[in-house]
């Protein structure tokens, strides 16, 4: 890595979106959305297709004006600042490179537009080419590159002018799984090396959890929850967030009582204990437990665990893990995911105990 490479000098920006709304005719694409994006943060906007992620990113970029609300950058109101004056870096899924320009000409383009001297352009482009692993490909046209290489060029072109913010909209969704994982590592490294504020859009929850300092979960134009990956995964605020981030077992509870830092409720013929949550409306709720937090045992659990009896109905082998499908005597179905090596295969119709630590479940409202 050349010593002169000082991308970390770029001034990462802090962004504050305040009560942003966006309507298209009568349709509300974004509803009263407020979000703070920290300086140098890697924030991911995660949600299903049509939830408003791209609309919000376009508002950040300045390509779309919000219908209501304000956008601040480093304390200044930039709501009416046009896109070219915000000068953010951008990488999109189908963001075509200039097909008639070579790799180095594509990367040089933002510097040329900004009227930089040719010696500086040459040096920066050389550094960027090295940084994204394209040495030897400088003179190639985009059509001669693989999909992953093209996205590397797009990343280099978006970062070469040291933007204060980099916006990425599903940049790897067209790549196959292995290549996508390689590019995720690359983006993570570029984020660490540049210190720039990254705002990344994806509908893939594992990509969001793997990359981000924080994840903002969107649904139907609303921001449902924002937090560190482990917070949103282990302490989701509602059922949509819980289920969007991964599989979850839902056990309906009655007679729920809060007791100190714990909650207790009746599931079928047993008392289940969970972490206390403040989100309790009445006395019924749902205990939510991730399949990988449960284990199958032949004995009832220890004092700090919940335990219920179930019958094994089948299993799905995933290589490193195996997912067991089970049912309680009252008919509730459950999934338990365990490392394949952790237990001997269990035959269908076997009666077993399923247990999980009391601090691993979370309460969700029974309605939503
Ligand atoms: P996402 O990126 O999460 O898939 P989008 O932000 O692209 O979602 O779109 C959110 C919703 O807004 C969608 O229902 C989409 O059809 C609608 N929408 C987006 N842009 C426009 C537009 N220019 N005109 C009308 N509707 C739009
Ligand atoms: Mg989109």
């Amino acid at each position: 890595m050349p010593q002169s490479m000082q991308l970390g000098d770029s001034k990462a920006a802090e962004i504050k979106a305040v009560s942003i709304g966006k309507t298209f005719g009568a349709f509300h694409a974004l509803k009263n959305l407020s979000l703070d994006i920290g300086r140098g943060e890697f924030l991911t906007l995660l949600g299903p297709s049509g939830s408003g992620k791209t609309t919000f990113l376009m508002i950040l970029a300045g390509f779309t004006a919000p219908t209501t609300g304000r956008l601040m950058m480093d304390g200044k109101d930039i709501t009416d600042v046009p896109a070219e004056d915000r000068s953010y870096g951008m990488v999109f899924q189908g963001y075509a490179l200039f097909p008639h320009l070579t790799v180095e000409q594509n990367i040089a383009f933002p510097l040329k537009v900004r009227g930089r001297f040719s010696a500086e352009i040459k040096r920066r482009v050389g550094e960027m080419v090295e940084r994204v692993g394209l040495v030897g490909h400088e003179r190639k046209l985009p059509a001669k590159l693989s999909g992953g290489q093209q996205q590397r060029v797009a990343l280099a072109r978006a970062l070469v002018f040291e933007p204060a913010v980099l916006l990425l909209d599903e940049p790897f969704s067209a790549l196959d799984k292995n290549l996508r994982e390689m590019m995720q590592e690359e983006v993570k490294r570029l984020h660490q090396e540049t210190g720039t504020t990254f705002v990344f859009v994806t509908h893939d929850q594992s990509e969001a959890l793997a990359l981000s300092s924080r994840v903002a979960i969107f649904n139907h134009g609303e921001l449902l929850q924002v937090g560190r990956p482990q917070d949103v995964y282990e302490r989701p605020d509602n059922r949509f967030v819980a289920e969007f981030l991964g599989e979850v077992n839902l056990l309906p509870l009655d007679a729920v009582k809060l007791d100190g830092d714990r909650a207790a409720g009746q599931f079928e013929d047993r008392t289940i204990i969970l972490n206390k949550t403040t989100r309790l409306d009445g006395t019924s709720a749902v205990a939510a437990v991730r399949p990988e937090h449960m284990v199958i045992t032949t004995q009832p659990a220890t004092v700090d665990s919940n335990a219920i009896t179930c019958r094994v109905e089948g299993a799905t082998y995933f290589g490193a893990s195996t997912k067991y499908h089970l049912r309680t005597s009252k008919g509730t179905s459950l999934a338990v995911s365990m490392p394949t090596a952790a237990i001997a295969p269990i035959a269908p119709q076997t009666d077993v105990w399923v247990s999980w630590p009391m601090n691993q479940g979370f309460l969700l409202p029974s309605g939503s």
Side-chain angles (χ1 to χ4, degrees), residues 24 27 29 48-55:
F24 295 110
F27 178 73
S49 173
S51 57
K53 307 179 299 293
T54 294
T55 302

Side-chain angles (χ1 to χ4, degrees), residues 10-13 73-74 86-89 161-166 196-197:
S10 66
K11 274 194 93 62
M73 176 167 121
D74 295 336
R86 295 188 198 182
S87 202
Y88 295 163
F161 61 99
E162 302 183 331
V165 177
L166 180 67
T196 301
T197 306

Side-chain angles (χ1 to χ4, degrees), residues 263-318:
Q266 197 68 21
F267 167 66
E268 298 180 351
D269 51 2
R270 301 213 147 242
T271 300
I272 303 286
I273 306 206
L274 313 90
N275 278 328
K276 177 186 160 185
T277 100
T278 50
R279 296 180 298 276
L280 184 61
D281 197 13
T283 58
S284 50
V286 174
V289 190
R290 301 251 179 232
E292 73 274 18
H293 290 150
M294 293 175 145
V295 293
I296 295 174
T297 55
T298 50
Q299 300 289 325
T302 58
V303 281
D304 290 331
S305 288
N306 293 295
I308 54 179
T309 50
C310 288
R311 179 160 291 182
V312 173
E313 295 198 321
T316 310
Y317 175 75
F318 289 104

